[in-house]
């Protein structure tokens, strides 16, 4: 599925399933969508593209598409998408920051942002300063 988005809408498009997958006589598609952890909305379409409107900016939504055939509904393809934000919200402060010095190395760890806090794009910035001023060097992030 492809999902270009705007501030209040998401346009999704997909390829129809292959007849070799057991899908014949496709009569349309069922699209389920909504905010995470909700039952959401259901729409039907005869096309392989649909625009979902009236979304809140920067909120994660789930989208699931399945083919409807004379023999029943096919398996859903699911993904999480975000509508675009008009103006970025203020930065989210991380919690539970821990630092450990080892020789001349410093390890920094923190609790990850939730999906709602990250708005789909978790980016962390680390500012390092010493008593003689800011340090200008690249810091390589690692994950445990």
């Amino acid at each position: 599925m492809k999902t270009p988005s705007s501030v209040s809408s998401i346009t999704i498009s997909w390829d129809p399933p292959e007849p070799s997958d057991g899908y014949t006589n496709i009569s349309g598609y069922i699209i389920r969508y909504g905010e995470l952890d909700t039952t959401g909305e259901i729409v039907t379409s005869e096309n392989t593209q649909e625009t979902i409107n009236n979304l809140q900016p920067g909120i994660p939504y789930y989208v699931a598409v399945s083919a409807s055939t004379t023999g029943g509904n096919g398996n859903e393809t699911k993904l999480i998408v975000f509508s675009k934000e008009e103006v970025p919200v203020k930065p989210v402060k991380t919690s539970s920051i821990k630092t450990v010095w080892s020789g001349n190395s410093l390890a920094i760890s923190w609790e990850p942002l939730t999906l709602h806090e990250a708005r789909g794009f978790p980016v962390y910035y680390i500012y390092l300063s010493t008593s003689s001023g800011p340090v200008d060097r690249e810091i390589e992030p690692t994950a445990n």
Side-chain angles (χ1 to χ4, degrees):
M1 270 192 289
K2 299 175 186 173
T3 59
S5 65
S6 73
V7 172
S8 62
S9 68
I10 297 170
T11 300
I12 59 172
S13 62
W14 58 91
D15 295 324
E18 295 292 326
S20 62
D21 292 338
Y23 296 99
T24 56
N25 301 323
I26 294 174
S27 57
Y29 298 92
I30 298 170
I31 302 130
R32 290 187 318 110
Y33 69 94
E35 290 186 40
L36 301 180
D37 301 324
T38 66
T39 54
E41 304 289 328
I42 298 174
V43 296
T44 58
S45 176
E46 293 180 5
N47 304 310
T48 57
Q49 178 173 312
E50 191 68 35
T51 299
I52 301 169
N53 295 304
N54 301 317
L55 303 177
Q56 298 298 311
I59 299 294
Y61 290 89
Y62 71 86
V63 177
V65 177
S66 63
S68 180
T69 71
T70 54
N73 297 334
N75 295 330
E76 288 185 327
T77 298
K78 302 175 189 176
L79 64 115
I80 296 175
V81 296
F82 287 77
S83 55
K84 292 182 180 177
E85 286 188 297
E86 288 181 302
V87 177
V89 295
K90 66 181 182 177
V92 176
K93 293 187 178 183
T94 57
S95 61
S96 304
I97 296 175
K98 297 176 186 172
T99 59
V100 176
W101 282 100
S102 176
N104 59 357
S105 296
L106 173 65
I108 305 170
S109 63
W110 57 87
E111 294 296 318
L113 298 175
T114 66
L115 192 58
H116 277 291
E117 290 171 329
R119 301 214 182 257
F121 304 98
V123 176
Y124 299 98
Y125 296 94
I126 299 171
Y127 177 76
L128 180 61
S129 180
T130 65
S131 58
S132 59
V135 175
D136 184 18
R137 95 172 67 129
E138 189 172 324
I139 298 174
E140 295 290 328
T142 59
N144 289 341

